Amino acid sequence: MGLRGWPELSPFAVMWRRRWGCGFLLLLALLLLLLPSGHPPQQAEPASARDTARQQQEERESHQGGHLPPQHSPLQLIPLDSFSADQFIVVTQRAARPRRRAYRLLRAAKRSPEAGGESTRLLLLDPPPPADRRQLERQGLQRRGFNETVSESISLHRRLPEVRHPLCLQQEYSQNLPTASIIICFYNEAWSTLLRTVNSVMDTAPKKFLKEIILVDDLSNQGHLKASLSEYVSKLDGVKLIRSNKRLGVIGGRLLGAARATGDVLIFMDSHCECHNGWLEPLLDRIAHDRTRVVSPVIDGIDWKTFQYYHSVDPQRGVFNWKLDFHWEPIPEYEQKWRTSPTIPVQSPAVSGGVLAMNRHYFQNVGAYDPGMLMWGTENVELSLRVWLCGGSVEVLPCSRVGHVYRKSVPYSPPYEEIVVKNKVRVAEVWLDSFKEIFYKQDMPSYLLSKIAVPDCMERLQLRKRLSCKHFHWFLTNIYPELYLSEDKSGYFGAARQRFLLYNVGTGYCANYETKWSTGGYPVALTQCSGHGNQHFEYNNIREIRFGAMVQFCIDVNNEQVILQNCRGNRLESQQQWDVQKSGEIIHVFTGKCIEAIKNGPSKDLFLRPCNKYTTQQLWRLEKVIIANKG
Ligand code: UDP
Ligand code: MN
């Protein structure tokens, strides 16, 4: 409710809201008092009921404490009733609009003796030298990646406006939710944003669910984060400050915080966030019902320049592209269709790095963060993939909202570019199976790095095995099929050595070359999609489906069973020709029948059956395998 979103307000509203507690104003007032005075003061403009309410609210908030006096306030007009005996209208901004407004007031004041009368004068003052202000802002921007000057002028206890869907307000949560440890890792964070984050957690989280806030200082080297911070924190109930004696990055810092945490649920939060009322309960509630859920609030934007809070309206989910870069996107239409209520959790391929919650034990059991990943970057994609593939799930909860300052630029020096590439290569090597080739094809720096040094991922691969995690192909098929579509799959023909996985829609398995010999050739079976070479097929322009790079076999038929035989080439009436339909059927040209996956003893084999487009076991997708030329 009390958002200080001044861009939407007129200069006059700003004037009314900022009457008290502004050092710059007082200075100006003193100056003005030295000038000749006449009639008693009048308000420059009557405040509307809305303005007054807003003003009162504003005053209440600024008295809540922590509101630093802005040194370079965006004030444009000085309210006349601040000065008991003057008749000036003061304009500190020479821009056209406030000036026009001031002249209008002047004319009105001159006409009315009560409002100042004939002798009212207009005083045009220069605003604080813009060079200084800009310089300060520039410095802040370089150091932080956001406008620190503006951040400092905002209350450390500001409350965000209510933006939740009305149905969210009707949700009821148990009184016995698990407790939360909030872990806020920071490196050279601005005083204002860091403490606003801490305060906003304390102001919004019900005490009985808030076990602790753990601040992890990642060896910051800025003065304000030393003794002053320790002192500030020592006065806060339930807030601990851990100082690392070496740089850990967000990954190591969060691991450290998690190791010290004692709450049931860990909530990792960036050090420049603001929590919305009621943000915590939905997160805890979802995890209470299933501890393998990794949940995220809707993460709204706090503008890096104005610190205005922007909330998203449509449901969003977290995703990533083939370069493994994370972004938010609106949920797809098919998902939208079955959503019966705006309060339903949104299944999300990935969780953002900014704020996320998960059960503390589950976090450790599922492999925490990869300790082999360095500092910062792609750790959220790694965590999401791992959780999905190893039996958990990832969701965004529309009734939980937290604002995050999205920086304009990365303030770290040296920038983490190289580190991020290293992290990405690790993620690809551990989790992408043969699909890593698509990644390497799209992300050149990672490809080059992987040629120089493939990281040692043994431990993470063992973890993957120990947890019986699924293949990346499963993720592509079931959780984020759109990633596939983003790959160019144009045409099956023509592309030299274009390979595909033959993916069966009905069973979720892939055609696999079996080495066991049977009299009629090599049977083609269905097994879990691994993306390995014994699942790579090619479809050429004489309509053969070929298998293998060195020795070539073609898909053939023996007694209605689909097998691999030596290729016969383009012979008339060949049994080895297939029509791959866009709809997904693979039709045997010779018989007009379709390939169907059929249970054959313990395994699933492929047989020809009359085509029936309603049988999903007859539906196939040719999924492209990209093999980067690694020379
Ligand atoms: N951070 C840290 N050590 C680092 C880099 C970042 O502790 O070396 C903290 C940072 O202060 C923030 C969180 O990790 O609280 C995430 O970093 P950042 O906000 O820069 O990431 P972004 O939101 O831009 O992805
Ligand atoms: Mn951040």
Side-chain angles (χ1 to χ4, degrees):
M1 252 168 51
L3 176 69
R4 284 155 215 266
W6 60 63
E8 72 200 32
L9 300 169
S10 74
F12 294 89
V14 171
M15 161 183 91
W16 290 116
R17 300 166 66 219
R18 300 237 154 205
R19 275 189 303 192
W20 319 111
C22 172
F24 172 66
L25 240 176
L26 281 175
L27 202 74
L28 219 63
L30 274 174
L31 259 174
L32 286 167
L33 281 172
L34 298 175
L35 293 168
S37 57
H39 296 281
Q42 291 298 320
Q43 291 192 340
E45 187 189 42
S48 70
R50 199 168 141 259
D51 275 350
T52 311
R54 202 189 269 149
Q55 174 197 339
Q56 284 164 354
Q57 168 73 19
E58 197 66 24
E59 281 159 16
R60 269 200 305 276
E61 282 174 10
S62 62
H63 287 306
Q64 277 171 6
H67 186 167
L68 298 180
Q71 293 172 337
H72 295 273
S73 136
L75 278 185
Q76 284 118 3
L77 288 167
I78 309 296
L80 292 185
D81 64 354
S82 303
F83 323 113
S84 54
D86 64 70
Q87 64 217 62
F88 293 93
I89 296 171
V90 182
V91 184
T92 60
Q93 196 188 57
R94 284 166 188 263
R97 232 175 111 227
R99 267 180 72 180
R100 265 203 310 276
R101 192 96 191 255
Y103 277 113
R104 226 175 28 244
L105 280 175
L106 178 70
R107 280 196 300 275
K110 277 180 184 288
R111 274 199 302 273
S112 149
E114 298 84 57
E118 206 36 59
S119 58
T120 311
R121 284 158 46 201
L122 187 71
L123 205 65
L124 286 172
L125 295 184
D126 280 333
D132 277 2
R133 197 183 59 228
R134 284 206 197 111
Q135 207 181 342
L136 259 171
E137 289 190 359
R138 247 201 315 274
Q139 275 170 10
L141 207 58
Q142 263 168 16
R143 264 153 61 105
R144 316 277 182 220
F146 53 74
N147 193 338
E148 188 177 358
T149 316
V150 170
S151 175
E152 278 174 355
S153 70
I154 295 171
S155 165
L156 294 182
H157 287 269
R158 86 164 163 180
R159 302 301 281 262
L160 299 178
E162 181 57 76
V163 295
R164 285 172 294 175
H165 191 282
L167 288 175
C168 290
L169 307 181
Q170 293 170 16
Q171 303 277 309
E172 281 180 11
Y173 300 99
S174 154
Q175 290 303 305
N176 293 316
L177 291 174
T179 59
S181 293
I182 319 282
I183 296 166
I184 301 170
C185 179
F186 64 91
Y187 172 68
N188 284 352
E189 184 63 67
W191 174 264
S192 53
T193 41
L194 177 63
L195 295 180
R196 205 176 296 122
T197 307
V198 175
N199 288 335
S200 91
V201 171
M202 298 185 77
D203 293 345
T204 53
K207 269 210 165 62
K208 63 176 163 181
F209 303 140
L210 182 60
K211 182 81 189 240
E212 63 205 345
I213 298 177
I214 300 180
L215 297 175
V216 182
D217 174 12
D218 186 19
L219 201 63
S220 302
N221 54 16
Q222 293 175 359
H224 65 277
L225 297 170
K226 301 296 169 198
S228 328
L229 181 67
S230 300
E231 201 189 318
Y232 190 102
V233 166
S234 68
K235 291 183 194 130
L236 301 176
D237 204 21
V239 184
K240 297 175 189 155
L241 175 58
I242 303 175
R243 308 264 193 193
S244 170
N245 55 11
K246 60 176 197 277
R247 281 302 298 288
L248 298 170
V250 66
I251 299 173
R254 285 181 173 184
L255 284 172
L256 177 62
R260 300 284 180 87
T262 55
D264 305 316
V265 169
L266 303 176
I267 300 188
F268 297 110
M269 185 178 285
D270 274 10
S271 44
H272 33 254
C273 290
E274 286 172 62
C275 303
H276 195 286
N277 273 338
W279 69 285
L280 183 62
E281 293 90 329
L283 301 176
L284 298 179
D285 183 64
R286 277 307 273 178
I287 295 172
H289 285 96
D290 178 350
R291 67 176 213 134
T292 68
R293 286 177 183 145
V294 173
V295 294
S296 155
V298 174
I299 302 190
D300 287 324
I302 296 172
D303 190 280
W304 63 266
K305 197 174 188 177
T306 61
F307 273 71
Q308 193 168 2
Y309 173 70
Y310 291 102
H311 71 281
S312 58
V313 178
D314 297 325
Q316 306 272 320
R317 63 179 194 169
V319 294
F320 53 88
N321 58 20
W322 278 111
K323 289 174 188 263
L324 300 181
D325 289 325
F326 174 89
H327 62 273
W328 291 100
E329 68 169 28
I331 60 172
E333 229 169 84
Y334 65 82
E335 189 98 30
Q336 185 73 50
K337 274 194 191 124
W338 69 257
R339 285 176 67 77
T340 46
S341 161
T343 63
I344 295 177
V346 173
Q347 177 179 306
S348 189
V351 73
S352 103
V355 189
L356 63 116
M358 62 195 290
N359 174 284
R360 180 162 58 89
H361 296 298
Y362 181 63
F363 175 71
Q364 301 297 354
N365 294 347
V366 81
Y369 279 116
D370 178 354
M373 286 174 73
L374 307 166
M375 304 299 279
W376 178 96
T378 329
E379 82 286 348
N380 59 321
V381 173
E382 193 269 345
L383 177 76
S384 315
L385 262 177
R386 178 157 41 85
V387 164
W388 273 121
L389 293 177
C390 309
S393 60
V394 178
E395 296 175 345
V396 178
L397 307 184
C399 292
S400 168
R401 285 177 176 269
V402 173
H404 168 256
V405 183
Y406 289 92
R407 300 178 197 276
K408 179 175 190 282
S409 50
V410 177
Y412 310 122
S413 166
Y416 287 154
E417 279 157 24
E418 205 181 313
I419 287 172
V420 175
V421 175
K422 280 188 182 158
N423 288 347
K424 284 182 173 180
V425 169
R426 266 188 90 79
V427 178
E429 291 296 328
V430 177
W431 297 106
L432 296 197
D433 303 320
S434 63
F435 294 91
K436 70 183 177 192
E437 307 299 351
I438 302 181
F439 160 72
Y440 283 130
K441 195 173 169 226
Q442 300 227 358
D443 197 70
M444 192 49 75
S446 300
Y447 169 61
L448 295 175
L449 187 80
S450 75
K451 284 188 76 164
I452 303 167
V454 176
D456 176 7
C457 304
M458 188 61 93
E459 277 184 24
R460 297 307 274 186
L461 288 167
Q462 277 169 357
L463 171 91
R464 183 175 169 171
K465 209 162 159 195
R466 195 169 68 243
L467 298 175
S468 308
C469 307
K470 300 185 187 80
H471 285 281
F472 184 65
H473 189 269
W474 176 88
F475 177 83
L476 278 182
T477 309
N478 296 286
I479 306 303
Y480 190 25
E482 292 78 16
L483 182 61
Y484 236 153
L485 300 178
S486 70
E487 240 290 301
D488 176 28
K489 289 210 274 187
S490 55
Y492 301 136
F493 301 112
R497 312 220 62 77
Q498 186 58 73
R499 295 182 193 165
F500 299 92
L501 303 184
L502 274 175
Y503 172 73
N504 185 264
V505 175
T507 59
Y509 282 79
C510 285
N512 194 80
Y513 156 68
E514 295 283 61
T515 44
K516 68 176 185 281
W517 174 256
S518 91
T519 44
Y522 302 88
V524 182
L526 275 186
T527 60
Q528 240 188 18
C529 300
S530 67
H532 291 139
N534 55 348
Q535 298 187 344
H536 293 184
F537 293 85
E538 292 171 33
Y539 184 49
N540 64 22
N541 55 5
I542 57 168
R543 298 198 279 186
E544 291 167 332
I545 299 178
R546 288 186 170 234
F547 170 82
M550 309 299 277
V551 187
Q552 291 251 315
F553 293 111
C554 280
I555 292 196
D556 203 323
V557 181
N558 181 22
N559 251 342
E560 302 231 308
Q561 179 163 18
V562 176
I563 55 160
L564 281 172
Q565 278 284 11
N566 293 329
C567 296
R568 299 181 204 288
N570 193 12
R571 296 224 192 112
L572 215 58
E573 295 193 337
S574 163
Q575 296 261 356
Q576 296 181 342
Q577 288 182 314
W578 303 90
D579 258 344
V580 180
Q581 302 284 307
K582 280 234 146 52
S583 55
E585 292 142 298
I586 301 180
I587 303 173
H588 188 222
V589 174
F590 193 71
T591 59
K593 291 186 176 175
C594 285
I595 301 183
E596 187 176 331
I598 291 175
K599 221 169 159 37
N600 187 19
S603 64
K604 279 196 193 67
D605 287 351
L606 307 183
F607 290 87
L608 286 188
R609 289 289 179 268
C611 294
N612 176 355
K613 63 176 183 234
Y614 300 110
T615 307
T616 53
Q617 269 94 331
Q618 286 190 9
L619 296 185
W620 299 83
R621 287 216 302 257
L622 268 61
E623 315 229 271
K624 201 153 116 185
V625 178
I626 305 255
I627 299 180
N629 180 13
K630 281 190 157 188

